[in-house]
Structure formats: structure tokens, C-alpha cells
């Protein structure tokens, strides 16, 4: 029933049928070269929509508004997003401005404000210049090919946009799933990365859509770390408009399995791209933990290794200082027995059953100079597996973050 | 009954009566300018001894040996320690070598091996060259003024030794408490900093000594973070030899209160020095959290702020990017309500009741260029207070740690 998943060349958030997007420079983003900073995503038809959000106790007003709108349970039509200012920690004005943003976008697209979501990313503690946003929205031209502009408009310290789309068959209907994401610092999501928006023209039942997103976000965005810091604005949204005219996908069907797998591939792709584009990063780090006592332990161990500043620094220097892997494993809280652990760096076994194996140092250093470094930790205790993604720590990260507002 | 606590000029671990120490260069430490790398601490009389150790699942064999020796409950006489090699992740040989080190030190000082503790710090996964250690111990000259040599011998990437001593009166007896510590990377202790050794000539009951050390370590070393990474070797030991001839200090007395306060002052001093000398650090960061719902929340919030790479980078750049404080508070897991939070940077109020206060930016930047930066977060929810210590994140940290073994 479900065909193979194929990546679409040049795919983005408007690759699924019936979605349009557009972006403009409103004047909010003063620090980046790419000046697009205000975007709108719009669906020609109502969408079942699901979201996952930051678990931080200090949240952007946009998160509050989006949670309320999703709780209504009504189909939604669109999303307005700005980069440059986070609309966080500005008192009651934050909520007022977030609601007004949905109203402006609704006015432009001819829908009701409560059918529109809103996201912001950027500096905390600064009020949104609403006059600029009102003017900016007037400039936006919504187009079926506008997804890539939207991907650029949400960038802050990102060096490149992240966008992808796949297509696959469900019940002999070709359906598409596209996504964009942003975020290269303050990335250690607890519920979501800073911002990622997904669209599909598949018809998907709303409850299943939420469960599928929550599950896949746990395996992808929630296993991503750039610097251990979580944002106040982390949001992942998926909108399903049904334009592909398939039977609505419900839980426990083959179609549901196919949809979850497509969602996993799209989110994994975006997660890897977010890690690779971490602030100052020169290497993508992939941490595979196998044979942990359970999945929770595997996740803890993988994420602790990917988060370690010492390991991130060692990858930057292509230094096979594997003792730091054991250090991070030990402190992760996961059950571990030294005498059972096998370690691999890019496929080369460095430690077997807790004992270091003499390895050809120059060869491993050369392997670690590749743009992707994979650490594999086999704990040989149980069936728990997990993968985490991160990036190396470089002087450039420090330079970027020591003078972001100045 | 208890007099004022006074810091002793030039005080160190041999300032208390009846302690001797010495150190030599055995050839283990190849990467540091200060070449002392093997030391012995010895008490002329038996000592009640207490310790706290790393909670990591991957531990140095030295930690195992020391736990066993402390569990015996017998008075101890000394400690042998090396820098350069951690004696961790080397299979069964690690335990054999750790025990042999205590035997060598015992032979030199004329006590039994089970009366001696052992610590190692340095690279993980390399076996100790025991021949060098045997030769080295022969060269060590134990002296009443040898504490400072011992402080140097435990340094790895530290740029300077950390040592301190205080004196105070108990029951008309002058007693002394001294300490040394090392560690400037892989510092985020869960039970203890990498290595800190404390001595006192006060007579202290063993059970109370352990409880006092555990309590004070929680408030000091366990609130220290340099890079979020915990070592496999973290150890704090305190030895009390009673040479001051006071009545043995027991729980619930005025003397006990005085002793705990002296211990707190010595450990706070060493904790601050460890933070200040964090790898590549240019600023000491002090995070005070007041009015949290409870102490556990205050500790979580303070430590999360002190650990944040974004905040550490901002301090390096003297950038009053206070939004990052709110971000870290939000993700710390501590209860927080945005509209109740007050923030201060070096005494200047930046946010009051959740609203940013316009501040003179240049003045705050100038304040942040001072060598100590204090962030104060008043949550106004309850009675929970805590302080954490850390340091800024600089390019130098990355340079140090991207090529430590190479």
C-alpha cells in the first residue's frame, strides 16, 4: 500500500500541494547577511495541525498563543514568523503583539486570526516593532514556490537554509511531506528545535498527527544538541491539508507506518542539517549508543556524549581522545560496566570489552578530519539503542556568542 | 567557645600540626610546565579521615581503593598522588597499580599499606609506568613545609596551585585547617571536584567528619562548573590527626559549628580558585539564586546558569545579554514565573518583576570587564538560596582541549 520514500530535488515546505509561502525584509534582522526576516506560510485549504514546544519555564508569548490555538482543535490555515526578535520576556506586550501578528496575517490571507499560528526567533527582551511588521506583511507575495524564501526568513546565525521534501505513495495517491528548520545556537531542544515547520498534502487524522510528531521529534530534534542550551521559543509544527485526496491516515494502518517513516526521514534530515550548521561548527558528530539497558539509558548516554564540551573540542582537533567518551558515558546516568564497553570511532574499534586496543593513531586522526565523525558505544547490557547528533566546539562558537547583542 | 576564623598567610596542606608532604618529578607529566608530578602527604599520627568521590559509573581504580580503605573505618596515615595519568580504563591493572602505589608510600613512611590512600589525575586509558613511580618515591623528601610542593604536583592544566589554610580556636586550643585542590577542565563535580585534599590538626569524630565534608562539598565543590564534564577520578579527602589536642569535636556542639564554618570557608576559597583557573578562563562567574521555591530549585537554577555555554561566552565578551539568563533559568527545571523575576549584573538591576529596565549599557559592559562577574537571580517564590561558581568560555578553552593528547 505504501510506496518507497523519495527525496524531492529542491524540495521545501511548499513542495506539498496547496501550500504557498512568501517572505520579505521588514527590518528586524540587523545582524545577518540574509535580510529576509518575515515570512508567511499559507494553505489553500484547512489543515489538521500538530505541534511540540519548548518545555522551558520561561516561554515566548508566541508559544502560549500557539498552544491555545492548537488546543481549540479547529483546522488551521497558516503561520506568520519573524526572525531577529524573539518576543520573549517583554511582559504583557508579548502576548498582545503575538496575537496581533496572527491578525495581520489573517487579514492578508482572508482567514480568521484564530486559524493562524505565530513564531518568533532572535534576541530576548526586546519588543517587536509592530509598525515594521504591519508594513512588511503588505510586501509579502505568497507563491507556490515561496518555501525557500520562508526557509531563509527564519534564519538567525544559521549560515544556510535547511529545507527538504519527500514524496511517497499512500493508497495509490502520491503524497508529499516538506519541511524547513532554523537554529544554530541555543540548541538543545527539550521538546523541539528552535523552529521547524513541516507541511504535507496527505490527509492525516489530527490525533494521530500529534502522536506521530511527538514520537518522531523525540527521536530526532530532541536528540540534537549544539551547545546544551534550550530556547524559550522551540517549536515544531506540522500542517496536513489533505490536498493529495488520500483516505485520511489513521493510527495502526500501513499508511500510518509509511507516514511516520517519511516524517522520520524528513526530521532526521533537518536534524542533521541543524547539527552540521551549529554555530562555528566544522564537523557533524553522530553518537550511536547500542546495547544500553533500555532506550532511556541509550538516549541519556548518546546525548551526554554529544553535549560534552571536551569531546566536541577533541573532534575539532581530530584528537582520538577516547577517554573522554568513557568519562561522558560514566557521568551520563546510564548504567555502564567498564569491562563490557566497546568503542568505535568512524568504524575503527578503539576499545573492546573495556580494554584499549592499540590503534594506528595517524589513521584515526585522518578519519576524524572527515566532515562527519561517528562515535559508537556498545554497552552490551541490553536492547536500548539511540542516536544523537551534535557538532564540534570551535573558537568560532566563542567568537559568535561573546558579542551577539553588542 | 569558638573563636574567629583567620586565614593563614601562605597557608597550605601542611600548615596544620603534624602533617608533612613532599613531591618530585617522576616523569609522568609531559604536558605541563611545572614538572612535579608525584607527591606524598603524611601525618605523624593516625587520622580520622572522610572522603567524597565521583558518582560516575566509570571510575578510576584509585576511587575503588580509597572507598575500600575508608570503609575499613581505621585511622589513616597518608596519601600518595600522581598527575599525568589517571589510572582509569586500563582493566584489572589499574587496581593492581593503585594498591601497589599505597604499598610503595607505606614502605617509605613506615606504615601499613592499608593506612594509605591513593589518587591519580591525567590522561585516561594509559597504564601507570610503575617503575618511574617506584624510583620517584625514593626521591621524595617529606617536610613540614612540603604542602606547596604537593599542591604543584597535582596540577595538570592548572596554571597555578590552589592552597589555603585557616586557624580558629576550639576550647582554647588553636586548631588549623588547610587544603589544596587541582582541576581546571573536566570540572562539573557530582560528588567532588577532581582532587582536593584537606588536613586539620583538630581532633574530629569520624562520623561527624564525614557528614561535615559531605554537606560542605555539596555547597562548594558540587556547585562548581568549568565545562559541564565530570571526571572519573573526582575526590575530596579530609584527614584529621588531633595534634591540636582539643576535645574531639562531635556533632551538635558549638565546636562542630565552628569546624563546619571553617571547612566551608576553606572549601569555598578553593572552589573559587578552581573556577577562576578554569581552562582558558578570563573571568570568575558567581551565580546567586535567591527566593527559589526550595534549595534544590535554587541549586538547579544557579548551576544551569553557570554551565550555559552561551552565558559563559557572553561574559567573555562582557556582553550584558541578560536574555540568556532567563533562557537558562527557564530550562533549569526550577520553578520560575517570568513576572516575578529580578535580575542583577554585578549589583545593577537589569530586570525587575519580569520587565527589562533600561540600563546604561556602557556602564554595565565596564562592570562585566572586571575579573569577577556576579549574576543574581531573585525568583521571589520561596526561601531557596544557592550560589554556583564558574568561569567564562574562551577561544583558549577550545585550543587547550582540541589537542590535549596530541
Amino acid at each position: 500500500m505504501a510506496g518507497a520514500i523519495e527525496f524531492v530535488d529542491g524540495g521545501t515546505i511548499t513542495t506539498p500541494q496547496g501550500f504557498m509561502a512568501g517572505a520579505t525584509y521588514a527590518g528586524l534582522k540587523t545582524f545577518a547577511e540574509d535580510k529576509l526576516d518575515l515570512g508567511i506560510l499559507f494553505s489553500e485549504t484547512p489543515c489538521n495541525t500538530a505541534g511540540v514546544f519548548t518545555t522551558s519555564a520561561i516561554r515566548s508569548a508566541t508559544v502560549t498563543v500557539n498552544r491555545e490555538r492548537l488546543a481549540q482543535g479547529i483546522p488551521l490555515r497558516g503561520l506568520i514568523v519573524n526572525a531577529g526578535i524573539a518576543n520573549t520576556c517583554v511582559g504583557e506586550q508579548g502576548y498582545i503583539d503575538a496575537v496581533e501578528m496572527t491578525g495581520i496575517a489573517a487579514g492578508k490571507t482572508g482567514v480568521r486570526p484564530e486559524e493562524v499560528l505565530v513564531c518568533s526567533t532572535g534576541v530576548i527582551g526586546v519588543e517587536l516593532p509592530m509598525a515594521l511588521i504591519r508594513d512588511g506583511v503588505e510586501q509579502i507575495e505568497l507563491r507556490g514556490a515561496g518555501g525557500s524564501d520562508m526557509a531563509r526568513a527564519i534564519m538567525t546565525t544559521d549560515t544556510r537554509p535547511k529545507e527538504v521534501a519527500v514524496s511517497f505513495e499512500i493508497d495509490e495517491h502520491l503524497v508529499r511531506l516538506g519541511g524547513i528548520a532554523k537554529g544554530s545556537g541555543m540548541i538543545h531542544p527539550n521538546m523541539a528545535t528552535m523552529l521547524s515547520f513541516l507541511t504535507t498534502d496527505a490527509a492525516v487524522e489530527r490525533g494521530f498527527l500529534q502522536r506521530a510528531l511527538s514520537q518522531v521529534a523525540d527521536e530526532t530534534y530532541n536528540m540534537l544538541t549544539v551547545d546544551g542550551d534550550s530556547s524559550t521559543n522551540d517549536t515544531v509544527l506540522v500542517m496536513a491539508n489533505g490536498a493529495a485526496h488520500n483516505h485520511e491516515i489513521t493510527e495502526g494502518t500501513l499508511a500510518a507506518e509509511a507516514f511516520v517513516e517519511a516524517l522520520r526521514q524528513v526530521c532526521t534530515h533537518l536534524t542533521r542539517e541543524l547539527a552540521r550548521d551549529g554555530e562555528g561548527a566544522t564537523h557533524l558528530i553522530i553518537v550511536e549508543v547500542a546495547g544500553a539497558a533500555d532506550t532511556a539509558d541509550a538516549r541519556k548516554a548518546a546525548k551526554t556524549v554529544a553535549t560534552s564540551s571536551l569531546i566536541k573540542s577533541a573532534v575539532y582537533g581530530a584528537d582520538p581522545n577516547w577517554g573522554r567518551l568513557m568519562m561522558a558515558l560514566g557521568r551520563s546516568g546510564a548504567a555502564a560496566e567498564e569491562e563490557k564497553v566497546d568503542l568505535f570511532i568512524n568504524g575503527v574499534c578503539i576499545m573492546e570489552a573495556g580494554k584499549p586496543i592499540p590503534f594506528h593513531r595517524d589513521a584515526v586522526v585522518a578519519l576524524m578530519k572527515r566532515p562527519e565523525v561517528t562515535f559508537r558505544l556498545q554497552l552490551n547490557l541490553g536492547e536500548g539503542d539511540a542516536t544523537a547528533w551534535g557538532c564540534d566546539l570551535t573558537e568560532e562558537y566563542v567568537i559568535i556568542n561573546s558579542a551577539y547583542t553588542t
Side-chain angles (χ1 to χ4, degrees), chain A residues 351-367:
Chain A
M351 169 179 262
E352 189 171 16
K355 289 207 177 138
I357 289 179
F359 57 87
H360 191 307
R361 184 178 177 84
D362 289 351
V364 177
V365 168
L367 275 175

Side-chain angles (χ1 to χ4, degrees), chain A residues 18-78:
Chain A
F19 286 97
M20 299 189 295
T24 190
Y25 176 55
L28 310 173
K29 194 159 77 176
T30 54
F31 48 81
E33 279 181 36
D34 194 321
K35 292 297 188 193
L36 293 178
D37 57 11
L38 183 66
I40 293 178
L41 172 70
F42 180 68
S43 170
E44 292 169 355
T45 54
C47 299
N48 282 343
T49 305
V52 291
F53 301 95
T54 181
T55 56
S56 175
I58 305 294
R59 285 182 291 270
S60 170
T62 60
V63 171
T64 307
V65 169
N66 291 337
R67 284 187 172 283
E68 290 172 359
R69 301 262 156 113
L70 285 179
Q72 302 172 120
I74 64 169
L76 302 181
R77 297 297 294 278

Side-chain angles (χ1 to χ4, degrees), chain A residues 129-393:
Chain A
M130 291 304 296
L132 294 181
I133 290 178
R134 285 179 214 114
D135 288 351
V137 166
E138 286 183 21
Q139 311 304 320
I140 292 175
E141 184 196 349
L142 294 172
R143 299 179 299 131
S148 295
D149 283 352
M150 180 111 175
R152 287 169 51 205
I154 61 177
M155 291 164 59
T156 51
T157 53
D158 303 66
T159 66
R160 50 183 178 269
K162 290 96 184 171
E163 48 190 339
V164 66
V166 298
S167 67
F168 54 108
E169 270 191 22
I170 284 183
D171 298 330
E172 293 173 8
H173 293 269
L174 189 68
V175 302
R176 284 146 289 251
L177 174 66
I180 62 175
K182 66 78 54 182
S184 62
M186 211 184 282
I187 297 290
H188 184 94
N190 217 356
M191 271 306 290
T193 188
M194 283 192 82
L195 295 180
S196 179
F197 307 130
L198 308 164
T199 55
T200 180
D201 48 22
V204 187
E205 188 270 325
R206 197 169 68 89
F208 166 67
L209 186 64
Q210 180 64 53
R211 288 187 295 276
L213 179 65
S214 297
Q215 177 195 329
V216 171
D218 264 356
E219 296 170 7
T220 56
Y221 301 109
N222 285 351
M223 292 302 288
L224 162 68
T225 179
V226 167
D227 55 13
D229 278 323
S230 305
S231 161
T232 50
N233 293 43
D234 291 340
T235 298
V236 182
L237 296 170
V238 56
M239 304 182 76
N241 68 3
H245 298 295
N246 60 301
H247 289 291
E248 190 175 71
I249 301 172
T250 55
E251 187 110 36
T253 58
L254 280 177
E257 282 176 32
F259 182 78
V260 168
E261 181 54 30
L263 194 60
R264 185 180 289 119
Q265 290 199 20
V266 163
C267 294
T268 300
H269 178 93
L270 291 172
T271 297
R272 287 171 61 100
E273 290 306 300
L274 287 166
R276 196 194 304 278
D277 196 27
E279 284 175 344
T282 65
H283 289 78
L284 170 64
I285 300 176
I286 303 163
V287 182
E288 301 172 352
V289 173
D294 55 30
T295 303
D297 266 17
R299 290 168 59 87
K300 270 190 280 193
K303 207 156 172 182
T304 302
V305 169
T307 305
S308 161
S309 293
L310 287 169
I311 292 170
K312 290 152 62 76
S313 299
V315 170
Y316 174 51
D319 178 4
N321 190 339
W322 58 267
R324 294 179 181 171
L325 298 174
M326 294 299 283
M327 172 281 298
L329 170 63
R331 78 169 171 88
S332 69
E337 296 174 23
E338 184 183 326
E339 63 277 14
K340 292 189 179 173
V341 178
D342 309 322
L343 294 182
F344 300 81
I345 300 180
N346 276 358
V348 176
C349 187
I350 299 291
M351 169 179 262
E352 189 171 16
K355 289 207 177 138
I357 289 179
F359 57 87
H360 191 307
R361 184 178 177 84
D362 289 351
V364 177
V365 168
L367 275 175
M368 288 185 69
K369 287 185 174 162
R370 294 186 182 173
E372 296 188 10
V373 173
T374 299
F375 295 119
R376 184 172 175 83
L377 293 78
Q378 296 179 173
L379 309 193
N380 297 307
L381 291 175
E383 303 293 315
D385 293 351
T387 302
W389 294 269
C391 60
D392 53 346
L393 177 63

Side-chain angles (χ1 to χ4, degrees), chain A residues 5 218 397:
Chain A
I5 295 165
D218 264 356
Y397 175 89

